[in-house]
Amino acid sequence: MLRFDIITIFPEFFRETFDYGIIRRARAAGLVEISAHDLRRWTRDKHRQVDDRPFGGGDGMILKPEPIFEAVEELTKREPSDTNYTQGVRVVLLSPQGRQFTQALAEELAACRQVVLICGRYEGVDERVSEALVTDEISIGDYVLSGGEPAALVVVDAVTRLLPGALGSETSAVHESFSEGLLDYPHYTRPPDFRGMKVPEILFSGHHAEIARWRAERALEKTKRNRPDLLERAQREDKD
Ligand code: 9D3
C-alpha cells in the first residue's frame, strides 16, 4: 500500500480529481491512499500565515519553512519501535527548479510506501525546505504553472497506474511507449471510412508480421517528426 500525502494551501483543488478511472479503482482496491492536507493546519499564529516577504528584497511572497517542516514531520511520524523509519519514504517538493519528472522517477516512487508532495505557491519556497527536508525536488516540464498543485496531480496519476494491480489485465505497464524509447504507433477503430478518411488497408490484411512492421515504421516516423530528442537518445543507447 502506497500512501500519498499532499501538502497544499488549496486542498479543495484535489476534491474530486482522484475519483475517476484508474486512480479511483486503485483507491477502492486498497493499492493507494491519497490525502490532501491544508498547510494552514500547521500554523500557530492568529493570522495562520504560511508566507512572508523575501529577505534581500524582490517581488512576491515566499512559503515559510516552519509550517512545512511541522507538516512533514507529523505526516511521516512512525512508531518509536520502527527503526528504519525513512525506508521507502520520499519527500517531494514540486518546483520549477526541480529535476525533470520522468517515467524512471515514477517507477522509483511506485516502489515506495509513502510519498509526501509539497506544492509550492507564490514566488517560491524557503530554500531550507529543499536543503534539509526534501529528498526530491521535481519539475514536470519547462513551462510556468501558477503553483505545484497541477504537478502533484500529474505525479499521483503517473505513479498510481504503475502499482501492481492498478491496470486491467488487458493492458500492461511494462509494454509502453516511453519504456521502449519511441512514441506509440497510430491506432484505428470503426468505421473503416470516416468522412472519406480511410483506415490503412494493411490493418485488414491479417498479416501480423507485416502489420507489426508497418506499426514500427509509423512509430519511427512520428517520433522523428514530434520527438527527435527521443530518437537521438535511442540511437545513443543502441551504440552502448
Ligand atoms: C520568476 C521565476 N519563476 C520561476 C521560474 C517564479 C515561479 C513560477 C512558477 C515560481 C513558482 C511557480 C509555480 N510553479 C510551480 O510551483 C511548479 C512548476 C512549474 O511552474 N512548472 C513545471 N513544474 C512545476 S512543479 C511546481
Side-chain angles (χ1 to χ4, degrees):
M1 154 73 84
L2 169 59
R3 190 172 127 199
F4 281 108
D5 288 291
I6 303 169
I7 301 170
T8 171
I9 60 166
F10 296 128
E12 299 292 290
F13 180 94
F14 300 96
R15 186 179 275 264
E16 281 186 282
T17 41
F18 302 127
D19 294 346
Y20 300 93
I22 287 166
I23 299 183
R24 183 196 184 96
R25 278 195 283 130
R27 292 173 68 204
L31 304 175
V32 66
E33 197 177 290
I34 310 166
S35 316
H37 310 275
D38 189 344
L39 179 60
R40 288 187 205 280
R41 186 173 134 201
W42 288 278
T43 56
R44 292 157 184 270
D45 62 306
K46 75 165 188 240
H47 294 111
R48 318 209 76 186
Q49 205 175 322
V50 293
D51 59 338
D52 210 334
R53 292 154 60 201
F55 280 127
D59 286 334
M61 300 291 271
I62 307 300
L63 285 179
K64 296 162 60 63
E66 302 97 314
I68 298 176
F69 271 76
E70 293 203 16
V72 171
E73 282 159 3
E74 183 182 323
L75 292 169
T76 59
K77 197 163 59 199
R78 297 270 104 72
E79 294 302 310
S81 60
D82 196 344
T83 47
N84 57 349
Y85 71 104
T86 54
Q87 268 282 333
V89 178
R90 303 278 278 260
V91 179
V92 172
L93 174 65
L94 283 327
S95 121
Q97 282 71 243
R99 69 180 164 120
Q100 164 94 241
F101 186 56
T102 60
Q103 191 66 17
L105 187 47
E107 280 163 20
E108 266 184 52
L109 296 181
C112 292
R113 60 180 174 81
Q114 184 180 19
V115 176
V116 178
L117 298 168
I118 305 166
C119 302
R121 272 277 154 182
Y122 313 121
E123 274 313 290
V125 179
D126 188 287
E127 189 64 17
R128 289 165 291 190
V129 170
S130 346
E131 284 170 359
L133 189 65
V134 154
T135 61
D136 303 84
E137 188 168 354
I138 297 177
S139 157
I140 59 164
D142 294 339
Y143 34 81
V144 182
L145 302 173
S146 47
E149 285 79 7
L153 259 184
V154 166
V155 171
V156 169
D157 188 280
V159 172
T160 299
R161 59 188 298 292
L162 290 175
L163 298 173
L167 298 185
S169 51
E170 74 279 4
T171 11
S172 149
V174 183
H175 170 82
E176 272 187 316
S177 178
F178 286 103
S179 334
E180 293 179 39
L182 287 187
L183 299 182
D184 207 355
Y185 56 79
H187 305 272
Y188 295 89
T189 185
R190 292 189 294 180
D193 182 335
F194 173 64
R195 299 183 179 177
M197 295 179 280
K198 303 221 171 32
V199 173
E201 275 299 332
I202 181 92
L203 298 177
F204 308 118
S205 69
H207 294 131
H208 299 297
E210 280 185 45
I211 291 172
R213 215 168 80 107
W214 179 86
R215 284 176 167 168
E217 284 167 3
R218 295 290 83 71
L220 193 63
E221 192 176 79
K222 195 143 197 166
T223 309
K224 265 184 195 149
R225 178 154 23 99
N226 288 350
R227 295 294 305 276
D229 58 309
L230 289 182
L231 212 60
E232 283 148 28
R233 188 191 305 172
Q235 278 167 352
R236 273 201 312 277
E237 281 165 7
D238 229 32
K239 276 191 202 147
D240 299 343

